[in-house]
Amino acid sequence: QVNLLQSGAALVKPGASVKLSCKASGYTFTDYYIHWVKQSHGKSLEWIGYINPNSGYTNYNEKFKSKATLTVDKSTNTAYMELSRLTSEDSATYYCTRGTYFDYWGQGVMVTVSS
Amino acid sequence: IQLTQSPSLLSASVGDRVTLSCKGSQNINNYLAWYQQKLGEAPKLLIYKTNSLQTGIPSRFSGSGSGTDYTLTISSLHSEDLATYYCYQYNNGLTFGSGTKLEIK
């Protein structure tokens, strides 16, 4: 069965960076793009960007181009998103999801930016 | 493309027929999906390509629409349908609507 398992919650200081992981199982990792989505508390969903696990090609929402960096490790079927220069505006739950239709989602990881 | 969902809050009774709306700022060409998000959970895909029901989703959920206007219908509301519903377009860029919170009376 398809599963996207995300790393645990993170508490990080303003100005720091954090790297989130999303380990895929139950399907061929390179067959589906991995997307990342942000959800601030009580708010709607924002698409951050996607990565093609086969080629490493990335495409970002303009809003997140200087904030997020997407990578993959095909040897471990894991996608990563690094968020840099964190501020309170980056405090949110982040999801990974796959494919054109976002048919499977990770459980989400809460990132809290606080000193 | 911006998506406007209405209403933002909907209160309905078990057994009611419920209709949620999603309007695009431009033609979406039927590249529209719907998600259900229950409190504390990840979104779940209900409908893709306007009217294709995702595997395992009850048949009381259906989607329709064209151009800029799309609709999610729940034919007979169940108590477990309490959730926020989001539309999402993947025709031109990738954007989500602001959501409709569905409450059970």
Side-chain angles (χ1 to χ4, degrees):
Chain A
Q1 66 284 15
V2 175
N3 192 37
L4 298 174
L5 182 63
Q6 297 187 238
S7 47
L11 173 61
V12 291
K13 295 189 185 309
S17 297
V18 67
K19 193 170 186 177
L20 310 180
S21 67
C22 172
K23 184 172 175 59
S25 60
Y27 72 99
T28 302
F29 182 56
T30 51
D31 282 353
Y32 294 83
Y33 291 2
I34 294 289
H35 296 253
W36 291 84
V37 174
K38 176 183 180 182
Q39 187 169 39
S40 300
H41 183 67
K43 300 288 180 62
S44 183
L45 304 158
E46 286 185 281
W47 174 72
I48 296 171
Y50 71 74
I51 185 165
N52 178 340
N54 195 40
S55 65
Y57 174 81
T58 54
N59 185 24
Y60 295 92
N61 181 335
E62 280 292 328
K63 178 179 176 179
F64 294 96
K65 268 190 174 178
S66 59
K67 173 63 62 178
T69 302
L70 306 184
T71 56
V72 293
D73 180 346
K74 288 193 286 186
S75 69
T76 60
N77 290 351
T78 303
Y80 298 92
M81 178 174 67
E82 183 167 22
L83 301 171
S84 61
R85 297 180 301 279
L86 292 165
T87 72
S88 59
E89 294 297 307
D90 299 313
S91 293
T93 296
Y94 293 87
Y95 295 98
C96 61
T97 180
R98 73 162 200 176
T100 303
Y101 307 127
F102 300 175
D103 57 352
Y104 288 91
W105 294 65
Q107 82 274 22
V109 58
M110 185 177 297
V111 173
T112 303
V113 182
S114 174
S115 54
Chain B
I1 296 178
Q2 294 188 338
L3 298 178
T4 301
Q5 290 189 243
S6 61
S8 56
L9 177 63
L10 178 61
S11 184
S13 300
V14 170
D16 283 354
R17 181 181 181 88
V18 170
T19 300
L20 284 62
S21 171
C22 178
K23 293 181 184 277
S25 58
Q26 300 173 32
N27 188 353
I28 295 170
N29 288 311
N30 293 113
Y31 292 108
L32 188 106
W34 291 92
Y35 300 87
Q36 176 193 66
Q37 187 177 33
K38 297 184 177 180
L39 195 62
E41 298 183 5
K44 177 194 289 186
L45 174 65
L46 300 175
I47 302 282
Y48 60 95
K49 199 74 191 306
T50 296
N51 56 15
S52 296
L53 190 68
Q54 172 67 352
T55 302
I57 300 302
S59 58
R60 65 180 181 274
F61 292 93
S62 64
S64 63
S66 63
T68 59
D69 294 349
Y70 296 83
T71 298
L72 174 70
T73 299
I74 308 173
S75 60
S76 178
L77 191 65
H78 287 204
S79 57
E80 61 262 33
D81 299 335
L82 165 70
T84 299
Y85 293 82
Y86 295 98
C87 58
Y88 159 74
Q89 70 82 23
Y90 46 103
N91 178 57
N92 184 354
L94 303 175
T95 50
F96 290 92
S98 54
T100 292
K101 186 175 182 179
L102 180 56
E103 294 183 339
I104 309 296
K105 282 183 187 174

